[in-house]
Amino acid sequence: MTARLHLPQVTLCAVSSVNVAATIRALEISLAQVDVAAALLLTDSPVTSAHPDITVVPIAPVTSSRAYSDFILTKLVDHVATSHCLVIQWDGHVLDASRWHPDFLAYDYIGASWPQFDDGHDVGNGGFSLRSRHLMQLCRDPAFKHSHPEDVAIARINRTWLEDQAMRFAPRALADRFAAERAGDVTASFGYHGAWLMPQAVGIEPFWTLYRELDDRDTIRHDFSAILKQIRQGRGGWKRALCLMLDQLRR
C-alpha cells in the first residue's frame, strides 16, 4: 500500500447542512491519500462517520449559500489550529496526492483559477482551496469587506487589501496544478471542484451512485447540460439521462 501524503500543517475541513453523505465521501476519498493534522465535518446533521479520522463538529444549520459564505469567512477559523486549512465540498476532493507540490504551502490562498477574469485577480475557487490561518483571521478584520460568495470576497473584492497585509496568492500556473474547476485539467491536478467534472474525475458509475444519494440535487442545475452529456454515455446511459431530466423537471 502506498504511503499517504503527510501534511501535519493542514486541517481538512468541510462545512455542510445538505448532501452530508456525499460530503463525508469526499472527506474519505481525500483521507485515503492524505494524512492531515485533523479532518473536520462541520454540520448540524445528526451523523456519525465510520472513518476514524473524521471528527463531526456540531454547528447551527447552514441554511443558504450566503450563510455558508458567512461561516467560512467568520467562524471556520475558530476550528483550525494548523497553519493551513484545506476546504473541500461534496463535489470536490483530492484526486492524486502524488501531484502535491511543496510550494502550495508557500501561499496564503490557492484555488482553481477563474478563466473569466483577465485582470490578474483570477485565483481562485474556494470549493477546493488551501488557505492559511492568518488569512482566515484577516477575513474577520473590520476592514475586510464581507460579501457573497466567500471566494470572490477573498480573491477579488479584498485581494488588494489582503496583499497589503502581506498575504500571498498563488500564481495562476501553480493554481492550475493545485486544482481544476472551470480551467485546469483533472488528469494533472492535485484536486478539483465541480459536479460537472465528477463523471470524468471519479467515473460515470461512481458519480451516478453518488448523485442518486443526494438530498439536494438542485446543486447540479447550473451544469445540467454538461453532466447530461457525460452520464448518457455507456451501458444504461439513456436511463440515467432520463432520470436526470425527470429530476430537474420535478424541481
Side-chain angles (χ1 to χ4, degrees):
M1 181 177 178
T2 303
R4 292 189 295 166
L5 173 67
H6 188 49
L7 295 177
Q9 320 94 318
V10 174
T11 300
L12 179 66
C13 293
V15 179
S16 187
S17 287
V18 297
N19 298 335
V20 175
T23 304
I24 291 174
R25 181 61 179 150
L27 287 166
E28 291 173 343
I29 291 173
S30 299
L31 288 171
Q33 297 194 60
V34 180
D35 178 21
V36 292
L40 309 179
L41 170 62
L42 298 104
T43 183
D44 63 299
S45 181
V47 297
T48 56
S49 172
H51 197 292
D53 294 336
I54 297 176
T55 300
V56 178
V57 180
I59 60 172
V62 181
T63 56
S64 66
S65 58
R66 186 174 293 275
Y68 173 84
S69 286
D70 181 69
F71 188 94
I72 294 293
L73 291 174
T74 66
K75 299 180 177 66
L76 182 58
V77 66
D78 292 332
H79 303 276
V80 176
T82 52
S83 68
H84 285 75
C85 177
L86 178 59
V87 174
I88 70 170
Q89 296 177 353
W90 76 266
D91 57 349
H93 52 73
V94 174
L95 281 172
D96 188 338
S98 71
R99 299 171 190 159
W100 171 266
H101 196 288
D103 285 354
F104 294 158
L105 287 170
Y107 295 90
D108 295 284
Y109 190 91
I110 181 169
S113 66
W114 289 319
Q116 67 269 36
F117 301 121
D118 60 3
D119 58 1
H121 289 187
D122 51 5
V123 176
N125 169 257
F128 182 86
S129 58
L130 185 69
R131 51 192 85 188
S132 72
R133 191 175 190 279
H134 190 181
L135 180 140
M136 296 169 73
Q137 290 174 314
L138 284 171
C139 290
R140 299 204 293 199
D141 190 289
F144 184 92
K145 298 174 182 177
H146 282 256
S147 64
H148 169 69
E150 57 89 17
D151 50 4
V152 173
I154 292 172
R156 290 193 58 78
I157 295 173
N158 291 278
R159 174 162 172 167
T160 298
W161 179 81
L162 287 166
E163 288 177 326
D164 288 343
Q165 315 310 309
M167 294 296 95
R168 301 183 68 207
F169 287 75
R172 182 167 186 158
L174 189 65
D176 287 339
R177 292 182 62 178
F178 174 76
E181 196 209 30
R182 299 294 175 183
D185 179 2
V186 294
T187 67
S189 59
F190 171 68
Y192 79 102
H193 175 254
W196 65 94
L197 291 175
M198 293 188 83
Q200 179 185 359
V202 304
I204 291 175
E205 290 298 335
F207 165 73
W208 188 246
T209 298
L210 186 71
Y211 168 78
R212 298 302 296 159
E213 296 175 351
L214 297 179
D215 52 79
D216 181 11
R217 296 175 185 167
D218 279 348
T219 53
I220 69 138
R221 180 182 293 275
H222 183 70
D223 297 287
F224 169 78
S225 296
I227 294 173
L228 178 66
K229 182 178 180 180
Q230 294 177 79
I231 59 97
R232 69 186 182 191
Q233 299 175 18
R235 185 177 179 181
W238 68 271
K239 292 182 179 179
R240 290 191 293 266
L242 179 60
C243 181
L244 189 72
M245 289 187 286
L246 288 174
D247 282 345
Q248 294 304 306
L249 286 173
R250 293 189 188 103
R251 286 161 175 76

